[in-house]
Amino acid sequence: MSGPLSEAPLIDAEEDLVAAAPVTAARRRLRTHPALLLAGIVLAALNMRAALAGVSPLLSEIGEHFHLAATASSLVTTIPLIFMGLGSIAAPKLARRWGTEAALCGALVLLCGGIVLRIAPPVIALFAGCAVVGTSIALLNVLMPGLIKRDFPERAAGMTALYSTAMILGATVSAASAVPLENALGGWQGSLVSWSLLAAVAAVAWIPQAVIARRGTGTGAAAATPLHAVEDGPKLSRSPLAWQVTLFMGSQSLIAYVVIAWMPTIFTDHGMGKGAAGLVFAFSTLVQMVGSFVVPMLAGRMRRQRLLGVAVSTLMASGVAGLLVAPVAGAWLWAALLGVGQGGALGLALTMMVLRSGDAHTAARLSGMAQTGGYLLAAVGPLALGAVHQATGGWTVPILLLLGVCAGLALLGLGAGRDRRIGDGA
């Protein structure tokens, strides 16, 4: 089994669903307007990381405004991760009941509300808004891949590349513009809330599609029925290989979200200006496209992906080590190494979900296990390293701990990259 990243999405809400006949007819009518679908996909993808990436360059201002210590400040990035893991469980159920189009539109409305809620005066609203943002992004993570494969079956690779590029572009622009928007709009609140406009525009673009698809569903009727029972196939919780893939996914996510949470702060703590730190962080986000494009293509053409696992781990470890040795002087180099390594590690994790599975149903179940467990594991990273930073008063110990995670990622890559399938004999 081989293939590019487009064949290895995260949890696919459409994978095991058979749409009701009227809904199928309604979707056929929707496909006669591909421009509407295309615009909706691009707008939704632009929103999938922007609300998270724009927080990092402003984290110190948010902490100062609410008088939060480093550990408490890290909750701004930790809480969304927790709910990205938990929220992914609900997406297939919502797609089955209401249809993917309506669920996706609802997720964008929820995202818009969560972004606005984050700037409400009490600190509890900040954390509640983070939970809403994480939940809505989880829904988008799950709903988008299946919709693309379903509505563009002959162009799934190209559409997935477009969707992935738009997602990274949204995060890059958000990170790069966070400080300029803060200066232009009078504070971090204006910078954060400005992204609710993009979410609102995307939600409006999905309203016609949600309405058309829902017209085919009678009152109280489900939009689709499951094709397989959830428990069909090998028992993943008893598979060492499934756990290796899950832990690889979680460990690379942990490193990535620690970088998202703390990279700009590390730079500014060493004397770099806020605007420059935001640009370096945005550059690191942008170059993820290189790794996410190249590594899955290589992985799909190899029987074993062990060397790729070690390679992406080494790239990230080199970037992390650079933050310890010369954080400001080599900032652009460390950002490039981290970005390419992160994009490659994510692409490899997604590809291995397919390569280690014997069929599409097992791949979807493994993807669900890896995404839910992975985000919950990743949530530990920003909080733990923020606590260590607060306790030690510097970044040396947190960065050394992150290097330890990179070493563990390499070992997990050696295990998950073996030429085996879940359910095979030892």
Side-chain angles (χ1 to χ4, degrees):
M1 186 182 297
S2 64
L5 177 59
S6 60
E7 295 180 20
L10 295 177
I11 307 173
D12 181 349
E14 294 284 331
E15 185 70 57
D16 277 336
L17 295 183
V18 177
V23 175
T24 300
R27 286 171 174 167
R28 195 175 298 116
R29 290 194 298 273
L30 274 174
R31 284 194 286 270
T32 63
H33 304 284
L36 181 63
L37 280 170
L38 183 62
I41 288 169
V42 170
L43 285 168
L46 287 170
N47 278 281
M48 287 176 66
R49 293 296 181 269
L52 297 178
V55 171
S56 186
L58 307 173
L59 197 57
S60 59
E61 282 78 8
I62 296 172
E64 290 172 8
H65 178 86
F66 289 109
H67 307 291
L68 301 175
T71 305
S73 294
S74 66
L75 291 173
V76 177
T77 49
T78 297
I79 290 174
L81 288 175
I82 294 171
F83 282 85
M84 284 168 70
L86 298 176
S88 61
I89 301 171
K93 298 176 182 177
L94 292 174
R96 182 170 66 243
R97 177 64 184 85
W98 301 103
T100 299
E101 295 82 1
L104 205 153
C105 183
L108 289 164
V109 172
L110 193 67
L111 177 62
C112 183
I115 293 172
V116 173
L117 184 59
R118 288 190 305 190
I119 69 161
V123 69
I124 190 64
L126 170 68
F127 296 139
C130 290
V132 174
V133 166
T135 302
S136 57
I137 291 174
L139 299 178
L140 294 173
N141 278 344
V142 178
L143 295 167
M144 288 288 288
L147 182 139
I148 288 171
K149 287 199 299 183
R150 186 196 73 202
D151 288 341
F152 297 92
E154 304 302 322
R155 291 175 288 170
M159 288 300 301
T160 301
L162 177 64
Y163 139 75
S164 301
T165 301
M167 184 170 64
I168 294 174
L169 180 63
T172 302
V173 172
S174 176
S177 63
V179 175
L181 283 172
E182 178 191 23
N183 296 332
L185 300 175
W188 63 267
Q189 294 93 336
S191 181
L192 285 192
V193 81
S194 62
W195 292 99
S196 64
L197 297 176
L198 181 61
V201 170
V204 169
W206 278 97
I207 288 175
Q209 301 176 67
V211 169
I212 292 171
R214 282 299 296 167
R215 280 177 183 168
T217 307
T219 304
T225 54
L227 187 61
H228 297 92
V230 174
E231 63 275 8
D232 285 353
K235 195 168 182 63
L236 299 184
S237 62
R238 295 180 181 174
S239 168
L241 184 56
W243 280 109
Q244 287 168 344
V245 173
T246 296
L247 291 173
F248 185 89
M249 176 70 180
S251 297
Q252 68 83 26
S253 295
L254 186 152
I255 298 167
Y257 281 99
V258 165
V259 171
I260 289 172
W262 294 117
M263 178 190 271
T265 303
I266 291 172
F267 289 145
T268 55
D269 283 356
H270 286 87
M272 185 182 286
K274 283 196 312 178
L279 287 175
V280 175
F281 173 59
F283 170 71
S284 182
T285 303
L286 182 64
V287 297
Q288 288 181 25
M289 284 191 287
V290 176
S292 65
F293 179 76
V294 173
V295 171
M297 286 200 303
L298 293 174
R301 288 160 175 76
M302 301 166 68
R303 290 183 60 191
R304 301 175 184 85
Q305 295 75 36
R306 305 179 81 182
L307 288 179
L308 284 177
V310 173
V312 296
S313 303
T314 302
L315 282 173
M316 286 193 286
S318 300
V320 171
L323 296 177
L324 184 63
V325 176
V328 175
W332 291 94
L333 175 59
W334 316 140
L337 291 171
L338 279 165
V340 174
Q342 287 168 27
L346 176 59
L348 181 58
L350 301 180
T351 305
M352 286 196 298
M353 293 175 195
V354 169
L355 299 179
R356 301 289 83 88
S357 302
D359 54 69
H361 178 60
T362 301
R365 291 171 58 230
L366 177 59
S367 181
M369 174 180 172
Q371 181 172 336
T372 302
Y375 280 128
L376 293 177
L377 176 59
V380 175
L383 183 64
L385 266 70
V388 173
H389 168 61
Q390 182 179 327
T392 62
W395 287 107
T396 300
V397 177
I399 290 174
L400 288 173
L401 290 173
L402 198 58
L403 282 172
V405 178
C406 291
L409 183 68
L411 292 175
L412 288 165
L414 289 173
R418 293 172 298 165
D419 183 22
R420 294 188 180 179
R421 304 288 183 274
I422 292 170
D424 287 352

